[in-house]
Amino acid sequence: MSSSDKNVTQSITQVIAASSLGTLIEWYDFYIFGSLAVIIGQQLFPSDAGASALINTLAIFAAGFIVRPFGALVFGRLGDLIGRKYTFLLTLVLMGGSTFLIGLIPSYSSIGYAAPILVLILRLVQGLALGGEYGGAATYVAEHAPVGKRGFFTSWIQTTATLGLFLSLGIIVLTKNTIGAEAFADWGWRIPFLVSILLVGVSIYIRMKMHESPVFTKLKSEGKISSNPLKESFQKKANFKMVLLALFGATMGQGVIWYTGQFYAQSFLENTCKLDFNESRYVLLWAILFATPFFVVFGSWSDKVGRKWIMLVGMLLGVICYRPIYQYFIDATNVKEFEKTELLTSSVPVVERSLVSGKQDSLITTTTLKTLNNGMTFKEAKVVIIPEDVLVPVKEETVIKDVTLSGSTYVMIIFLVFFQVLLVTMVYGPIAAFLVELFPTQIRYTSMSLPYHIGNGVFGGLVPFIATLVASFSGSTPLSGLWYPIGIAALSFVIGAIYIDNKGDSNVMD
């Protein structure tokens, strides 16, 4: 390697490190909410809200995704007018401040429905900020990358979304294990939100030292900056065609694969399969740890063979494999079925008596820890509600919770989640380079941000909410919710296979 090439590489390395750290922290901020949806729902809504608390919390989570395209328009326009650096510096401040404030909002028991309303407002600000962050970071790195390595260098930005999720899960598990489950559910869930302000401060300091993109600087010095990026992006037929192609042929399918593999998988294991809080997160942590390097593998490979088929094969494999994978999750964690032949021991039942919140009904919970011959354990909680009014019938319900897995089943479930995250790396690793190469410099930030955030924020971000909602309908099965990501990925595969060119890296930094 020549000294000039070495200097270029070192410069790009610094660019990637600075861009990636800020983007990682923004993803961390965004995803701790989703990772704690069950606990946050218990804090934001009445104690007797039941399943609706989780669905409403997922709706608030989804709202942050829905506004991401608007953030892409607002900050994309700023990025094309005033520059990449200061725009995604602003998004970092907005994201970090909103996350910190969520950790300070009182619970429903203190301020009633003002609690979920305030959290919703802050989630909307988060969504707007993230809508401007990704396009800025990807564009910034791509405009520093040499021809022939754009997929490789931008793929490092792609790892930040998964690493941000990994970091959020790690801090959540560490906090819960340190202070205990009861304290974590009461007030400790706020800690991951509050500590993020320290990470944001470090990232702001680093980003302040960054220089503007050389491509944008050159464009600005020549007086060629677009006077109206929105108009040029969406009123010019050729550009608007590329925006639609990017959305329906790539980012729409990529989005649902991403959120199924990394969010719905954890939600399904925890809420449908009743895995223990830590167990479900350890599964995802191991899967992410093993799969993350493949973002760079597929990003680099796309420089050699093109972006198209790597992304589309990832979508197709999701369409084919999701239902059998999730059916295995159900079968492998069906402890009531195993109990018929595998029951080894049962603990002494623990009986708790309390009053139903806001009523005088008596609540009796009898919890028994059971261990199976195959190594699995679970808690069986029999809940009896005795109404104050003797004319109202007694309600009884048996709940399975806190399932822990045996060795072989644990490894297999980790592998199947790893496989889903591997599909994420296939569709997500090359996508930044693919989007950058579709649009000219003058409108790149605006044009690539919108389809990315509609595909990910709307189609992808709605996966946990829509899939959970569909599965809750009367007559639905636990697998019914999968038809949404499967259908979207299949449609995107067909459109992409027909209309997307499989061009490799090209010098579009005009």
Side-chain angles (χ1 to χ4, degrees):
M1 180 183 292
S2 68
S3 60
S4 60
D5 288 341
K6 186 176 180 180
N7 289 335
V8 170
T9 302
Q10 288 176 342
S11 174
I12 292 174
T13 301
Q14 293 168 358
V15 166
I16 291 173
S19 301
S20 298
L21 177 61
T23 306
L24 182 150
I25 291 170
E26 291 221 30
W27 283 117
Y28 164 84
D29 286 353
F30 205 70
Y31 288 140
I32 48 178
F33 191 96
S35 300
L36 294 172
V38 174
I39 291 176
I40 292 174
Q42 295 168 355
Q43 295 288 329
L44 296 183
F45 297 97
S47 58
D48 58 352
S52 66
L54 175 61
I55 292 175
N56 289 334
T57 305
L58 290 175
I60 293 175
F61 182 57
F65 290 95
I66 293 173
V67 299
R68 277 169 57 180
F70 299 100
L73 291 175
V74 173
F75 293 107
R77 180 176 182 274
L78 286 176
D80 285 326
L81 288 175
I82 67 173
R84 292 36 169 145
K85 171 186 172 179
Y86 292 106
T87 300
F88 66 75
L89 189 61
L90 175 61
T91 63
L92 182 61
V93 173
L94 290 174
M95 173 67 80
S98 299
T99 303
F100 181 77
L101 291 175
I102 287 177
L104 297 177
I105 289 179
S107 64
Y108 174 86
S109 61
S110 299
I111 60 173
Y113 282 106
I117 292 172
L118 289 173
V119 171
L120 174 61
I121 293 171
L122 292 173
R123 280 291 299 170
L124 294 177
V125 174
Q126 282 186 323
L128 290 170
L130 191 59
E133 165 65 22
Y134 174 82
T139 300
Y140 188 78
V141 171
E143 290 180 347
H144 281 83
V147 177
K149 292 187 176 180
R150 196 168 295 126
F152 171 69
F153 283 117
T154 57
S155 66
W156 290 96
I157 289 290
Q158 305 306 89
T159 67
T160 60
T162 295
L163 290 175
L165 177 58
F166 183 91
L167 181 63
S168 71
L169 292 172
I171 291 181
I172 287 168
V173 170
L174 177 63
T175 304
K176 180 174 182 287
N177 290 345
T178 300
I179 67 175
E182 186 175 341
F184 185 81
D186 183 27
W187 56 268
W189 63 272
R190 300 176 182 275
I191 293 176
F193 287 93
L194 298 177
V195 299
S196 70
I197 200 68
L198 301 176
L199 303 175
V200 171
V202 172
S203 184
I204 290 175
Y205 174 76
I206 293 174
R207 283 195 172 183
M208 288 292 291
K209 295 180 175 296
M210 294 167 63
H211 299 292
E212 184 55 82
S213 156
V215 177
F216 182 84
T217 300
K218 182 174 183 294
L219 203 70
K220 187 175 182 179
S221 67
E222 296 173 351
K224 295 181 180 179
I225 295 175
S226 172
S227 60
N228 193 333
L230 292 177
K231 183 177 180 180
E232 288 190 38
S233 295
F234 309 120
Q235 287 192 5
K236 286 189 176 181
K237 185 176 180 180
N239 288 331
F240 188 57
K241 177 183 177 182
M242 290 298 102
V243 170
L244 294 178
L245 181 59
L247 171 59
F248 294 109
T251 62
M252 180 175 73
Q254 172 256 309
V256 296
I257 295 294
W258 206 106
Y259 287 96
T260 302
Q262 296 192 150
F263 263 103
Y264 189 61
Q266 182 211 305
S267 176
F268 191 89
L269 288 171
E270 183 177 0
N271 299 311
T272 302
C273 300
K274 305 302 180 183
L275 250 62
D276 172 71
F277 181 95
N278 282 352
E279 193 94 339
S280 64
R281 283 154 181 82
Y282 286 143
V283 166
L284 193 55
L285 283 169
W286 282 114
I288 289 174
L289 182 65
F290 291 131
T292 296
F294 287 93
F295 283 107
V296 180
V297 171
F298 289 118
S300 181
W301 194 24
S302 74
D303 287 325
K304 300 176 177 61
V305 303
R307 327 289 185 201
K308 172 181 176 177
W309 287 110
I310 296 176
M311 297 187 297
L312 294 186
V313 168
M315 296 179 203
L316 182 62
L317 288 173
V319 170
I320 295 171
C321 298
Y322 278 157
R323 285 185 66 86
I325 286 174
Y326 283 78
Q327 184 62 60
Y328 177 84
F329 289 165
I330 293 173
D331 295 340
T333 57
N334 187 359
V335 292
K336 293 305 292 180
E337 188 64 30
F338 292 140
E339 186 181 10
K340 297 176 182 177
T341 57
E342 297 282 340
L343 181 62
L344 179 62
T345 61
S346 296
S347 69
V348 176
V350 177
V351 181
E352 297 178 347
R353 299 175 182 270
S354 60
L355 294 177
V356 178
S357 178
K359 303 178 182 179
Q360 293 301 311
D361 298 346
S362 298
L363 179 66
I364 303 174
T365 304
T366 304
T367 304
T368 306
L369 176 63
K370 297 187 175 183
T371 303
L372 305 180
N373 280 316
N374 61 13
M376 297 175 69
T377 67
F378 66 97
K379 291 180 181 178
E380 182 180 83
K382 293 184 178 180
V383 182
V384 179
I385 299 178
I386 304 175
E388 179 187 21
D389 186 347
V390 295
L391 298 179
V392 177
V394 173
K395 297 181 181 179
E396 296 187 18
E397 181 182 11
T398 299
V399 179
I400 301 298
K401 60 181 182 179
D402 297 342
V403 176
T404 64
L405 303 170
S406 63
S408 59
T409 304
Y410 185 56
V411 172
M412 187 61 183
I413 287 183
I414 289 175
F415 172 77
L416 292 176
V417 177
F418 159 79
F419 177 75
Q420 293 181 71
V421 182
L422 185 67
L423 302 187
V424 172
T425 68
M426 292 182 69
V427 299
Y428 199 57
I431 197 77
F434 167 77
L435 292 172
V436 163
E437 292 168 354
L438 282 181
F439 305 105
T441 304
Q442 293 94 329
I443 58 171
R444 179 171 294 126
Y445 200 149
T446 302
S447 297
M448 73 166 287
S449 293
L450 185 67
Y452 174 82
H453 286 293
I454 293 178
N456 282 266
V458 178
F459 289 101
L462 289 176
V463 167
F465 172 67
I466 291 180
T468 302
L469 183 64
V470 170
S472 70
F473 290 158
S474 176
S476 296
T477 71
L479 298 182
S480 298
L482 290 172
W483 287 119
Y484 171 70
I486 287 173
I488 296 296
L491 178 61
S492 192
F493 172 83
V494 172
I495 294 172
I498 296 173
Y499 294 107
I500 290 179
D501 292 328
N502 192 38
K503 66 178 181 179
D505 203 346
S506 59
N507 187 13
V508 294
M509 299 304 160
D510 46 341

